[in-house]
Every structure is written in structure tokens, then in C-alpha cells.
Amino acid sequence: MLLDRLRSSIDRIALLDPEGSLSYLSLIERSQGLCEELCAPNLDRRGERVAILCRPGREFTIAILAVWWAGAIAVPLHPEHPGPELDHVVADSRCSTIICSPQYAQSAAGLAATHDLRAVECDGRRRSTTSRPSPAAEDDALIVYTSGTTGRPKGVVHTHASLAAQMSGMVEAWDWTADDRIICVLPLHHVHGLVNVTLTPLWVGALCESPGGFDAGHVWNRMASGDLTLFMAVPTVYARLISAWESADASTRARWSEGARRLRLMVSGSAALPVSVLDRWQELTGHVLLERYGMTELGMALGNTLERRVPGHVGWPFPGVEAMLDEESQLRIRGPQVFDRYWNRPAETAASFIDGWFCTGDIAEFDEQGYRLLGRASVDILKTGGEKVSALEIEEVFRTHPAVADCAVVGVADAEWGQRVAIAIIPTPDSDADEFTLEHVRSWGRRLLSAPKVPSLVLVVDGLPRNAMGKVVKTEVAAMFQPAAGTGG
Ligand code: AMP
């Protein structure tokens, strides 16, 4: 288990953030220090859910390890999500406690008051050298929220064992060693940023840099420094790095390209990598991006390999993973890294497994080039900037707008974002259709929905295309946006 492995790296640097570096020894002592505070006064926290509203870097990492020393279950939150989304996660997972960075103390106090939580600040300073037993492999470790086709996001429960299988699988597949150094530019409330980039380095004694977010110039400069060996991101991040490179001057371009060549591996995942991005990235850096396929419920499931990378394909099963296609060409996955259950949703858990195989909802094909994804079984699951969002959830929120009679949300293909969230709105008869400017829709949406779910394309319509059963035909709605694509915000 991860906690047991930290001690074998005590002399090494675990992380680097804007405050400086932190050794593995300090990480252990400080996370045990926070754990004592969490458990005071001698309460048993096993199985309790603890929300984490912390800055990436030492505060987040100390917090999650403290939760695990306490035997509790970590529920990472995104500090920038609007109140209603944070409320949903905290209420659904029935957290007892929230750990926050000092800078988020006010939001944490608000959540604590609404949901009757205890708020504990993590400034990363308190230490303890009292060793604590680590939890059992089969204990629940983490709940990460993910969108589904029905209702609000649901919690995916991973145990210490499923996380361990994910991390050791990545170490084996990508040859992670203690000499690796990676930079985290992804949010920590999804497995990509959390497990692949933040926790896997700890598994092997490697180093993770956490600048606290994505800034293309900073990432290029860190690549150019020659310090990094690995980079992992969603396709949108690569597209934005390419645009930053295109707008840099000639000497900067040369320095960035030269530095990036020295990394040993660059990985893309969480959404389809356009071959145009793969090709351009190779021109700029010499790297053929290694594309892999994963899911909140699975961690990493399929991937190209260090030796063989096929553009447009997602490769072969990870170590320990089994994959198959059912009669509908839907991908099913089995293995020790698969999640345990959806939190408090036994019916949905049961419905997502057939004979022990998890049904991914992704349609794929397989040949000697490996697996290739063809799309989702449901048109209502969109991927924008690597984030999975539910069209139905967004529609339900917009139907609460007083001037919306009905609406339909679809994904519109986009080179930078993969898909953009597009909404067709039928205004109520007495409302002013001009009200629905892009600006209005976005500012109204932002109060209730996290950034990836806020539509960036808007169309005001008199009616929606429906089939004989009265069901909205989403492909026809998407077609209505094609001429307008690119004009939105
Ligand atoms: P999430 O649970 O948010 O990580 O979303 C998982 C979904 O992202 C999968 O079910 C796929 O639909 C999609 N996905 C992940 N990786 C890839 C990839 N390399 N290519 C295409 N789609 C991907």
C-alpha cells in the first residue's frame, strides 16, 4: 500500500510547490501531524468521509495522506467549483470533516455550517513522529465524483488495493523510477491528476512539481530546464502548449523544443488525442505522444506501450487488466484496479457489471494495431477539455432558468476542446429571446455549474427536432451548431 512505501524514500524530495521542496520524511511527519489533529480527541475516524479543499502541492498531499493514516476516506473537492456542486459532493458522500488550505478557510466554513462538518485547516506545519498503522488493502480509500447519464454526479469508491493496482500498473507500463520528475497541471479531483501524476511518483520515490495550475509558458520553461523526465496531460493541454509555442519568438521556440526533447516520456489521455495534435507535437518536440485510455472507475485500462505507439489507437490492456468487446462492441474491463462500487448506489453498481466485467459505455474495435475507440454508447456523455460531463445534468439545471421553456445540450466537435458544450434553448413565450446572449447564459450557468459544464455555444430555437416517440434527436441538434461552431466564447 502507498503509505507503507513512503518510508523507503525518506531521504528523497517528494514534491516541489511555490513554497519550496518537501522531503518524503517531512511528508510522513506532517501528514501524521495532521492525522493527529484529525483524530483528536482520540476519536476513531475509520470509514468516515473527509472532504479535501486544498491547494495542489504540499497542502493537498499532506491532507490526503493524513486522511489515509486516519483510516478515513478522502473526498477531493475542486476549490473553484461553484457552491451547488461542492454541496452535492459533500452531502452525497456524507462527509464528517473538511480539511482546507488556509486560503479556502471561508469556503470550508460555509460548507461546514451547511453540512454540519468539522473544519480542519492544513497549513502543512504540524509534525508528528508517532507512527500509525496503515489501513487494510480492502478498506475504502477514495471517492471521486464522475458524471453519468442519469442524475447528478456519482461517487466512485476506490479501495487502497485498487489504487495500489493502478499505481503499480503504471510503474510497470511506463518504467517509473525514483529518478523521475513530473509536473502536475491537472486538477486533483479526478484520477488523472490525482493518481497518475500526484500519487504514482510517491509510489516509487519520485518527485512531483505542483505549480498550482496550468500555465503554458511555465510548463514549457520547466521542460526547457532539463529537470523533468515525464509529462502527462489531456489533449487540450497539448493543444494549448502548441498554441503557446506558435506565438513565441524564434529563440524561445528553439529553447522550448530543445528542452522538451530531453524528457523520457509524454503521455496523453482522458479524451481522444487528435492525430493532428500528435503529429504537430512530434514536429515540435520529437515525441510521439503515448496515448492511453482510462476512466474514473478503472484508473488506466488500455495504453500504447513504450515500444509501440499507434496514432489514433489506445493500445493494449495495462498490466493485470483484461479487456473484451461484447456483441454491441462495447468495451468491458476486469481487473484489480477496477473500483469497488458507486457510493450509496447499489442498483447503479449492479447495473454496470456483467459477470464481473465492468461495462464502460465506450464503443471500440480491436485488431493487430490494438484497441481503437469509436465513441460513447450514450450521446449524452460529453468530454470537454478531458472532463466528462452529462448533457442531461446541464439541461436539468438550465430548465430551472425562469425564461427557459426547454433546452437540449449536445457536444460539438472542436479541435482544442475535443467537444464543446452547446445548448439549444427554447425561450418561454413571454420572455425576450435576445436575453440569451452567450454572456448571459455563461454567467448564469457559472453560478450553478463547474466551468467545463457551462455551455460555450448557444442557439435560441423555436423547437427541437424530435423522433416519433417525442425524444429529442441529439445528432440533429448537434448539426444545428455546425455552421455556428467557433463563434462562441
Ligand atoms: P473519466 O471517468 O472522466 O476519466 O472519463 C472516462 C472516459 O473518457 C472514457 O469512458 C472514455 O469515453 C474517455 N476517454 C478516456 N481516455 C480516452 C482516450 N484516450 N481516447 C478517447 N476517449 C477517452
Side-chain angles (χ1 to χ4, degrees):
M1 299 301 107
L2 181 63
L3 294 180
D4 304 320
R5 297 180 59 94
L6 299 174
R7 289 220 163 265
S8 46
S9 309
I10 45 177
D11 298 329
R12 304 187 62 88
I13 302 296
L15 61 87
L16 185 73
D17 65 11
E19 279 180 61
S21 62
L22 196 73
S23 71
Y24 276 83
L25 183 62
S26 296
L27 191 57
I28 294 170
E29 291 181 355
R30 290 170 198 226
S31 55
Q32 288 178 346
L34 182 63
C35 173
E36 277 179 6
E37 205 167 327
L38 208 56
C39 293
N42 301 322
L43 288 177
D44 185 358
R45 300 277 166 216
R46 268 178 297 173
E48 284 186 23
R49 276 76 58 208
V50 178
I52 301 180
L53 191 68
C54 287
R55 268 202 314 187
R58 69 190 59 208
E59 289 161 17
F60 183 92
T61 309
I62 288 169
I64 196 164
L65 297 178
V67 171
W68 289 344
W69 289 123
I73 308 172
V75 185
L77 303 177
H78 192 301
E80 261 136 53
H81 278 184
E85 292 215 351
L86 296 177
D87 282 331
H88 168 67
V89 171
V90 169
D92 186 80
S93 59
R94 298 204 208 120
C95 287
S96 65
T97 308
I98 182 165
I99 304 179
C100 67
S101 290
Q103 77 183 95
Y104 302 129
Q106 211 180 340
S107 323
L111 286 165
T114 312
H115 302 279
D116 193 19
L117 313 178
R118 177 168 163 238
V120 176
E121 264 193 41
C122 171
D123 61 9
R125 297 197 198 293
R126 183 173 163 152
R127 290 159 180 265
S128 168
T129 50
T130 319
S131 248
R132 303 186 63 94
S134 41
E138 64 278 9
D139 286 352
D140 295 336
L142 180 72
I143 305 181
V144 176
Y145 276 74
T146 189
S147 295
T149 38
T150 50
R152 314 233 33 208
K154 51 192 187 242
V156 171
V157 182
H158 278 288
T159 62
H160 288 280
S162 63
L163 292 177
Q166 289 173 33
M167 291 184 271
S168 58
M170 279 184 276
V171 168
E172 187 180 334
W174 298 336
D175 279 356
W176 274 90
T177 72
D179 294 328
D180 277 315
R181 182 160 172 158
I182 194 166
I183 184 167
C184 181
V185 299
L186 300 170
L188 301 179
H189 65 305
H190 291 315
V191 293
H192 195 173
L194 176 59
V195 183
N196 299 23
V197 187
T198 303
L199 299 176
T200 300
L202 302 179
W203 186 266
V204 290
L207 192 161
C208 177
E209 293 187 11
S210 287
F214 174 62
D215 174 81
H218 179 77
V219 170
W220 275 117
N221 285 329
R222 293 306 301 139
M223 287 185 191
S225 72
D227 293 337
L228 302 177
T229 63
L230 293 170
F231 187 70
M232 296 180 193
V234 299
T236 301
V237 163
Y238 287 104
R240 290 171 67 185
L241 287 169
I242 291 169
S243 324
W245 189 96
E246 311 279 9
S247 45
D249 60 43
S251 73
T252 306
R253 286 179 175 188
R255 185 168 57 83
W256 285 353
S257 289
E258 171 53 29
R261 273 173 207 281
R262 285 184 276 162
L263 274 74
R264 73 168 181 85
L265 175 65
M266 295 186 174
V267 178
S268 172
S270 290
L273 174 66
V275 175
S276 57
V277 173
L278 179 132
D279 287 343
R280 187 73 183 127
W281 192 255
Q282 187 176 9
E283 286 163 14
L284 302 193
T285 66
H287 281 274
V288 179
L289 289 171
L290 185 157
E291 184 172 6
R292 90 313 179 269
Y293 159 92
M295 199 172 181
T296 308
E297 288 88 337
L298 306 171
M300 299 305 102
L302 306 172
N304 284 277
T305 64
L306 292 175
E307 299 76 25
R308 186 161 178 218
R309 303 176 201 181
V310 186
H313 287 63
V314 294
W316 298 269
F318 261 72
V321 172
E322 289 176 272
M324 65 166 275
L325 297 173
D326 65 19
E327 22 341 300
E328 264 116 42
S329 297
Q330 202 188 137
L331 179 67
R332 293 187 191 168
I333 299 287
R334 194 160 74 169
Q337 46 286 88
V338 175
F339 74 126
D340 186 69
R341 64 194 185 281
Y342 292 115
W343 177 254
N344 270 346
R345 285 175 169 81
E348 283 184 55
T349 306
S352 64
F353 286 89
I354 294 179
D355 299 332
W357 292 83
F358 175 69
C359 305
T360 61
D362 288 306
I363 307 300
E365 60 183 20
F366 179 73
D367 60 23
E368 68 289 350
Q369 307 257 67
Y371 279 93
R372 194 163 82 88
L373 289 177
L374 304 175
R376 296 276 319 172
S378 164
V379 287
D380 288 318
I381 293 290
L382 318 184
K383 268 267 160 157
T384 178
E387 295 254 2
K388 186 174 177 183
V389 306
S390 157
L392 305 185
E393 182 191 358
I394 302 168
E395 288 165 5
E396 265 167 38
V397 167
F398 271 91
R399 282 193 199 106
T400 67
H401 187 297
V404 171
D406 200 0
C407 63
V409 168
V410 291
V412 171
D414 180 86
E416 183 177 356
W417 293 95
Q419 285 180 307
R420 288 168 69 156
V421 176
I423 186 165
I425 292 175
I426 308 178
T428 53
D430 52 348
S431 68
D432 177 3
D434 294 341
E435 182 183 339
F436 292 108
T437 59
L438 180 64
E439 199 187 335
H440 169 80
V441 167
R442 287 182 62 75
S443 67
W444 189 86
R446 264 196 292 262
R447 294 204 310 258
L448 300 166
L449 295 164
S450 56
K453 298 177 187 166
V454 178
S456 66
L457 296 169
V458 180
L459 215 52
V460 176
V461 295
D462 296 329
L464 292 165
R466 290 179 190 273
N467 66 15
M469 311 292 293
K471 195 169 180 280
V472 172
V473 185
K474 291 285 177 98
T475 46
E476 287 183 26
V477 178
M480 292 157 63
F481 283 91
Q482 296 307 338
T487 57

